[in-house]
Amino acid sequence: MSRMLAWMMAVALALPAAAQTGSTPAAPAANPRVAIETSAGRMVVEVYLDKAPVSARNFLRYVDARRLDGVVFYRTVKPAEHFGFVQFGVQNAQTKMFPAIKHEPTSETGIKHLDGTLSLPRLAPGTARGEFTIMIGDQPSFDADMSKPGDNLGYAAFGRVIEGQDALLKIFDAPTSPTKTLMGSFKGEVPEAPVKIVSARRIAS
C-alpha cells in the first residue's frame, strides 16, 4: 500500500469520529415565560427578552421582586367590541416603582402591537416604569410611526399572552363605572370591581 493511500484511509476513518466529538452549536435560549394568576383566571405571557431587552427586563424585575402581587387591572379602554386594552401595575406607588427606563420603539424591536401584546404606557419617551397594558385586538396606532406628529415613537411592546386569552377577555369585558375616576382621570374606564393579580411568577419554558 502506497504511503499516499494509507494517509487517505486514515483521514477517512478519522472523519466520523471527529463528527461525533465535534461541538454542536448551542440552541438559542428560550424567552422567559410568566404565569399571571388573577381573580379572573390564569394567563401565561412570553416575554421577548431577545427583541426588547430593556423593556422585558423591566417587566421581569417587577415580577421577580413580586411587586405585581396584589395589584389590580385598574383601567379598561373599550372603543369597540373586542378592541381596546386593559392596564395594570403599581399605580405610581413610590415604594414599588423602579427607575424609569430607556424607550424601545417598535421600529427598533420589530414587535407589533397585535392582539394580546404587552406594552409600556408612558408620557415622554423614557418615562415608563411599572404600568403595563395588554392589547385586545391589533393596535397599530401604538406602534412607532415617523409619519405621525409629536414624538411618534409609540409604546414599547415587549411580550404577548400565549395562554389564557379567556381570562384576558373576562377582564376586558367586566363592567366599568360611568362615574368612577382615578385621581380625576379615566372616567368611564375604571372597572366596577377590578380584577386582582394574585401572583406573577416565572415558569419553565
Side-chain angles (χ1 to χ4, degrees), residues 10 15 22 33 37 62 72 89-90 101 106 108 110 115 124 134 145 153 159 163-164 167 169 181 184 186 188 192 194:
L15 283 174
R33 294 185 177 187
E37 303 284 352
Y62 282 91
V72 298
V90 300
I101 61 169
T106 57
E108 291 181 7
D115 188 30
I134 307 179
D145 185 349
L153 293 176
E163 294 177 27
L169 288 178
T181 66
F186 309 146
E192 288 280 13

Side-chain angles (χ1 to χ4, degrees), residues 10 26 50 52 61 71 80 83 94 110 134 162 205:
D50 55 345
R61 191 177 185 185
V71 307
F83 185 81
Q94 292 297 321
I134 307 179
I162 57 172
S205 298

Side-chain angles (χ1 to χ4, degrees), residues 72-147:
V72 298
F73 286 84
Y74 58 81
R75 187 183 182 197
T76 300
V77 177
K78 189 175 183 179
E81 191 69 22
H82 200 88
F83 185 81
F85 63 86
V86 293
Q87 192 163 312
F88 68 97
V90 300
Q91 292 183 259
N92 296 317
Q94 292 297 321
T95 57
K96 288 191 172 184
M97 287 194 299
F98 290 115
I101 61 169
K102 175 192 170 192
H103 182 59
E104 288 181 309
T106 57
S107 54
E108 291 181 7
T109 64
I111 306 169
K112 301 299 183 183
H113 284 85
L114 304 176
D115 188 30
T117 297
L118 274 80
S119 188
L120 283 163
R122 63 175 177 84
L123 297 176
T127 60
R129 301 177 82 169
E131 313 304 324
F132 307 96
T133 59
I134 307 179
M135 304 295 130
I136 310 296
D138 296 349
Q139 308 270 353
S141 64
F142 285 96
D143 294 338
D145 185 349
M146 294 317 208
S147 68

Side-chain angles (χ1 to χ4, degrees), residues 35-48:
I36 302 176
E37 303 284 352
T38 81
S39 54
R42 181 178 192 258
M43 293 183 286
V44 175
V45 173
E46 181 179 357
V47 183
Y48 298 140

Side-chain angles (χ1 to χ4, degrees), residues 63-75:
V63 169
D64 294 341
R66 303 192 176 185
R67 295 193 180 183
L68 297 181
D69 292 10
V71 307
V72 298
F73 286 84
Y74 58 81
R75 187 183 182 197

